[in-house]
Amino acid sequence: MKKIILLITCLSIQLIYAQQSGYYMNWNIDHTERSVKPSIKISEDELQNMYGYYVEFDNHDRLQSVKFFFEGKKSNHGNYGTHELERFYFDDHFIEKYKNTKGEYVSISGGIDERKYLLNTYGYWIKKENYSKGNLVTEGVAYSKVTRNIKNELATEIQFSVTNDTIPDGNGFPIVNFAYDQNGLTLYRQNLAINGKVVNGENGYAAVIFQFNQDGMFFEEQFLDEKGNLFLHPRFDLAKINWRAFNKYGKPARIYYMNVLGYPHEQRAYGKITYRPNMTRESITFYNRIGEKTVDRNGIAKSVYNYNADGKFLGRTNYNFNGEKIK
């Protein structure tokens, strides 16, 4: 009887941790890339008025497909570049392919129409190849190689062109080093030299530090140099960002900006964010340290985010301090 109870308990635990097919706001928050973990479950009724993903798993808890919907309709503007992402599994690799709302296989950004993930002996990918019409893509990243730690979490990553040249990541890091919290969410991305030393990248900083909440949503990000000091990002004009006041769909109502001393930014200290009922961002308005409306370094006091009826982001309309449109 004790063995039967133990077996039932183990099966119950497995069911608790098994991924469930259904509608979600985020289709994957596992940064270790060991599995797919969706978050913020929504109902089909909620989906009629907002955007979301239908995530489907097989009997082995593996991702089968992800489909993007906008206000209840199929849309080609999922964050992977189209309506549907499909996975096909083999002994030593799996393949991703992409479909539009008509069910046709299509290319996504960079002309990629297929991704092939080569697996280690534990079943986790260690090389990712990007294909277009049967060949590795000739522009941008053709393939990536990763190492994994003892937990099989991603430990390092290097990106390569089709001619085997190293391509730095978006932070300018040629060799990226990762660490994670207990939920599989990234704690930092560090720039490593060949000898394993943390060094400044081409943008002048050596690490990006992250904080995520339980839903996989940012609540803090900061940039550090190789000495561990806050660094003013040359493009964003800030050293640290903090998101606050999340709604039930994981959307923050405020964003705070800090300088290299960790104090509120001199020009803009925070932004107030509004959302449409469909949960797309509607606008952001900037304020200084004493709560007065202000502008960023480009003279923008408010930005309005524009989408079409299918959920495609069309860009921002910017306004100056006097409410006049900036051309």
Side-chain angles (χ1 to χ4, degrees):
M1 180 60 68
K2 288 182 179 179
K3 290 182 179 179
I4 292 173
I5 293 172
L6 179 61
L7 178 60
I8 292 172
T9 302
C10 291
L11 289 174
S12 299
I13 292 172
Q14 287 179 352
L15 288 173
I16 290 171
Y17 288 101
Q19 299 300 340
Q20 294 183 355
S21 298
Y23 294 102
Y24 296 87
M25 287 293 294
N26 307 309
W27 71 271
N28 186 17
I29 64 168
D30 179 25
H31 298 170
T32 70
E33 297 201 34
R34 291 178 297 185
S35 62
V36 170
K37 296 179 181 179
S39 75
I40 309 182
K41 193 170 180 61
I42 58 177
S43 68
E44 191 168 359
D45 287 341
E46 287 177 296
L47 188 74
Q48 305 309 306
N49 300 308
M50 53 197 297
Y51 73 84
Y53 297 87
Y54 184 78
V55 189
E56 185 175 5
F57 296 91
D58 66 14
N59 293 331
H60 300 286
D61 205 22
R62 301 178 304 188
L63 178 73
Q64 287 290 100
S65 69
V66 187
K67 298 175 183 176
F68 179 68
F69 296 85
F70 188 79
E71 296 182 350
K73 301 178 296 185
K74 293 180 180 179
S75 171
N76 286 319
H77 305 295
N79 66 5
Y80 38 80
T82 188
H83 169 57
E84 183 176 0
L85 177 155
E86 285 187 317
R87 281 190 181 176
F88 304 90
Y89 295 89
F90 304 89
D91 289 340
D92 60 352
H93 69 281
F94 66 84
I95 289 173
E96 280 184 357
K97 300 188 75 171
Y98 312 94
K99 285 182 177 179
N100 61 19
T101 55
K102 297 178 181 179
E104 303 165 330
Y105 286 107
V106 293
S107 299
I108 56 172
S109 177
I112 298 167
D113 56 27
E114 182 178 301
R115 282 196 170 107
K116 182 178 181 180
Y117 294 78
L118 304 178
L119 309 178
N120 65 13
T121 54
Y122 298 99
Y124 301 102
W125 77 268
I126 52 175
K127 184 179 181 183
K128 176 171 59 178
E129 299 173 338
N130 297 320
Y131 287 92
S132 176
K133 298 179 180 179
N135 298 306
L136 289 174
V137 297
T138 57
E139 299 292 332
V141 178
Y143 64 97
S144 304
K145 288 184 176 181
V146 302
T147 62
R148 292 183 177 270
N149 60 24
I150 194 169
K151 298 179 182 178
N152 268 301
E153 301 168 326
L154 291 185
T156 65
E157 180 179 24
I158 307 178
Q159 300 179 144
F160 297 91
S161 70
V162 71
T163 55
N164 303 315
D165 296 314
T166 301
I167 298 178
D169 77 343
N171 295 293
F173 299 171
I175 305 176
V176 186
N177 182 52
F178 303 92
Y180 306 93
D181 66 15
Q182 62 183 3
N183 297 314
L185 299 166
T186 306
L187 292 171
Y188 63 71
R189 295 173 70 95
Q190 287 182 330
N191 181 45
L192 294 185
I194 297 296
N195 62 7
K197 183 181 178 180
V198 177
V199 295
N200 291 331
E202 62 185 35
N203 290 323
Y205 57 91
V208 186
I209 309 298
F210 303 110
Q211 291 288 325
F212 294 89
N213 65 18
Q214 65 271 25
D215 295 318
M217 309 301 290
F218 273 123
F219 69 83
E220 189 168 282
E221 181 177 3
Q222 54 185 300
F223 304 95
L224 303 180
D225 64 19
E226 61 191 13
K227 296 181 180 179
N229 299 317
L230 282 171
F231 181 86
L232 194 69
H233 194 287
R235 189 166 72 253
F236 305 138
D237 189 34
L238 51 87
K240 186 176 180 180
I241 319 168
N242 187 275
W243 289 264
R244 300 182 193 176
F246 292 85
N247 66 20
K248 70 176 184 177
Y249 298 115
K251 306 298 183 182
R254 290 201 175 200
I255 178 171
Y256 289 81
Y257 308 100
M258 277 71 80
N259 62 20
V260 292
L261 298 176
Y263 297 145
H265 194 280
E266 291 80 1
Q267 192 162 1
R268 71 193 193 286
Y270 65 94
K272 290 183 179 179
I273 306 169
T274 63
Y275 298 89
R276 298 178 180 87
N278 60 26
M279 285 300 108
T280 59
R281 184 181 286 193
E282 182 175 43
S283 69
I284 183 168
T285 305
F286 300 117
Y287 295 83
N288 63 21
R289 286 174 288 178
I290 58 175
E292 299 172 330
K293 288 186 177 181
T294 187
V295 297
D296 68 7
R297 66 177 180 178
N298 297 310
I300 299 171
K302 180 179 181 177
S303 292
V304 174
Y305 296 77
N306 306 309
Y307 293 79
N308 68 10
D310 295 320
K312 180 181 180 180
F313 178 60
L314 302 176
R316 295 185 292 180
T317 303
N318 298 317
Y319 298 88
N320 64 21
F321 192 82
N322 297 319
E324 302 164 332
K325 187 183 296 187
I326 299 174
K327 296 181 180 179

